[in-house]
Amino acid sequence: MASVMTMYIAGLLVLAVHNVNGTEYESTSMGIGPRTSLPNQKLHIQGGDCLKNYIQVTQGTTGNLPSGAPIYSVQITNECPRDCSIAQIHLSCDSFASELLINPMIFRKLGLNDCLVNNGKPLANGAAISFIYASNAKLPLAVSSLTCSPRYEYMINIE
C-alpha cells in the first residue's frame, strides 16, 4: 500500500498525516498520535498563542476642539515578540463616543463596552494603527479579546 502524506504548514507548526498499513497517524510539533482530523479537510491551525499584552494601546492629548473638548490620539501596536499577526482585536471601550468622526474601518463601536480595531483584519507584527477622538474625558481603552492569525497557510499533498 502506498503511503500518502499531507502536510499543513501554518507559521512554524507543521502537521503531517502518514498512512502506514492502513492506519493514519498525525505528527505535529506536539508529537505523533492516531489521526484526529478528517481526510481531505484543510485544517485551520492557529499561529500559536497570542497574549493580550502583545497589543499595546497608548493615548495622549493633542489639543482641543473649539468647543473646548480635548482631542486624544490613540495608537494601537502589535508588539508580539515573534513574527505573528493578530486579528479580531476588541477593546473594552466603556461608553465610547467622539465629537470627531473616526474611520469605522480603523475603529468602531460594536456595542456596550466593545470596540473593534482594523475592521477585525490582522495587524502585522510591529505594525500600528492610529486615530484621534474628541471627548470631555479620556476613555479607558483596553484589549478585551484577540485572535492569533497565521501569517501563511499551505496545504501540500505528497503521494
Side-chain angles (χ1 to χ4, degrees):
M1 174 180 261
S3 176
V4 177
M5 180 169 66
T6 303
M7 295 176 63
Y8 301 89
I9 304 170
L12 298 176
L13 179 66
V14 176
L15 170 71
V17 178
H18 309 273
N19 186 331
V20 180
N21 296 328
T23 303
E24 292 185 331
Y25 294 89
E26 290 179 337
S27 56
T28 68
S29 60
M30 304 294 281
I32 298 175
R35 182 175 181 160
T36 57
S37 62
L38 299 174
N40 301 320
Q41 179 185 19
K42 187 172 184 178
L43 300 179
H44 299 284
I45 302 170
Q46 296 297 326
D49 292 331
C50 291
L51 303 176
K52 289 179 186 178
N53 67 355
Y54 290 171
I55 298 295
Q56 294 299 312
V57 180
T58 55
Q59 291 190 67
T61 55
T62 61
N64 293 309
L65 290 178
S67 67
I71 300 171
Y72 298 95
S73 173
V74 178
Q75 182 167 310
I76 301 162
T77 308
N78 177 351
E79 294 184 351
C80 179
R82 56 189 196 286
D83 193 17
C84 58
S85 294
I86 300 177
Q88 292 299 321
I89 302 167
H90 288 257
L91 302 183
S92 57
C93 54
D94 199 30
S95 56
F96 185 87
S98 175
E99 292 184 33
L100 295 174
L101 291 177
I102 301 169
N103 181 342
M105 302 302 273
I106 293 175
F107 185 82
R108 76 173 179 269
K109 187 171 182 171
L110 298 177
L112 183 62
N113 207 28
D114 185 21
C115 291
L116 183 64
V117 175
N118 201 28
N119 205 33
K121 294 179 183 174
L123 189 60
N125 180 257
I129 194 164
S130 59
F131 64 93
I132 60 172
Y133 73 94
S135 178
N136 287 326
K138 180 177 172 182
L139 296 169
L141 300 173
V143 177
S144 58
S145 67
L146 51 77
T147 302
C148 272
S149 178
R151 279 187 55 81
Y152 46 84
E153 180 175 83
Y154 300 96
M155 185 171 134
I156 305 167
N157 290 313
I158 302 171
E159 296 189 33

